[in-house]
Amino acid sequence: MANKREDYISWDEYFMGVAILSGQRSKDPNTQVGCCIVSQDNKILSMGYNGLPTGCSDEEFPWNREGEDPLETKYVYTVHSELNAILNYRGGSLEGAKLYVSLFPCNECAKAIIQSGIKEVIYDCNKYKGTPSVAASMRMFDAAGVKYHPYKRTGRKIEIEL
Ligand SMILES: O=c1ccn([C@H]2C[C@H](O)[C@@H](COP(=O)(O)O)O2)c(=O)[nH]1
Ligand SMILES: [Zn+2]
């Protein structure tokens, strides 16, 4: 009888891997963010990445970070990965779910995460740590009882030929 394969990926590697892969759909030239929402019994419920709302062309809307006119920057148009994942969910409730995301959630996403009933956030990068947005997210998560912790990278490399 053959032995069980032992080098399979862990749940955390699987869900953060799906989040990072989802982020590869993003057209943002600077920061690609991906998100994967998972039930308490480890079923994937939804995914998302940062992008423009439906009907807003990736070719016609700006991807600039800066500009004299805020209307010429991406910030006023982009839907964040976490919000997209929450809005993409076609089931009932996200109460008690876990959210894997490649970037620590901003304050607006934190509000949506809390209001949707998600109870745990596992994040990879936190490159905006120390900004008012991230500080506000942490304050709201703490007050609302949403747990958050960094994903522990394992160093495993997965090559996928597409
Ligand atoms: O909670 C978050 C925060 C940010 N994003 C997206 C929004 C933008 O498309 C990029 C950030 O761009 P920068 O050039 O790094 O400012 O990330 C998100 O999806 N979720
Ligand atoms: Zn956000």
Side-chain angles (χ1 to χ4, degrees), residues 76-89:
V76 288
Y77 305 110
T78 315
V79 184
H80 291 189
S81 75
E82 302 92 312
L83 186 60
N84 262 329
I86 290 167
L87 296 173
N88 285 342
Y89 183 52

Side-chain angles (χ1 to χ4, degrees), residues 91-120:
S93 165
L94 291 173
E95 194 67 43
K98 299 179 282 185
L99 181 144
Y100 288 75
V101 64
S102 58
L103 177 69
F104 192 91
C106 76
N107 59 307
E108 293 301 327
C109 289
K111 295 175 198 174
I113 289 167
I114 293 166
Q115 293 305 86
S116 67
I118 290 167
K119 288 288 182 282
E120 189 175 347

Side-chain angles (χ1 to χ4, degrees), residues 2 9 11 14 27-28 35-36 41 55-58 70 79 85 87-90 98 107 113 122 141:
I9 58 174
W11 286 120
Y14 179 33
K27 317 302 179 304
D28 189 321
C35 179
C36 176
D41 60 346
C56 301
S57 166
D58 294 315
V79 184
L87 296 173
N88 285 342
Y89 183 52
R90 290 289 176 268
K98 299 179 282 185
N107 59 307
I113 289 167
I122 303 99
F141 285 154

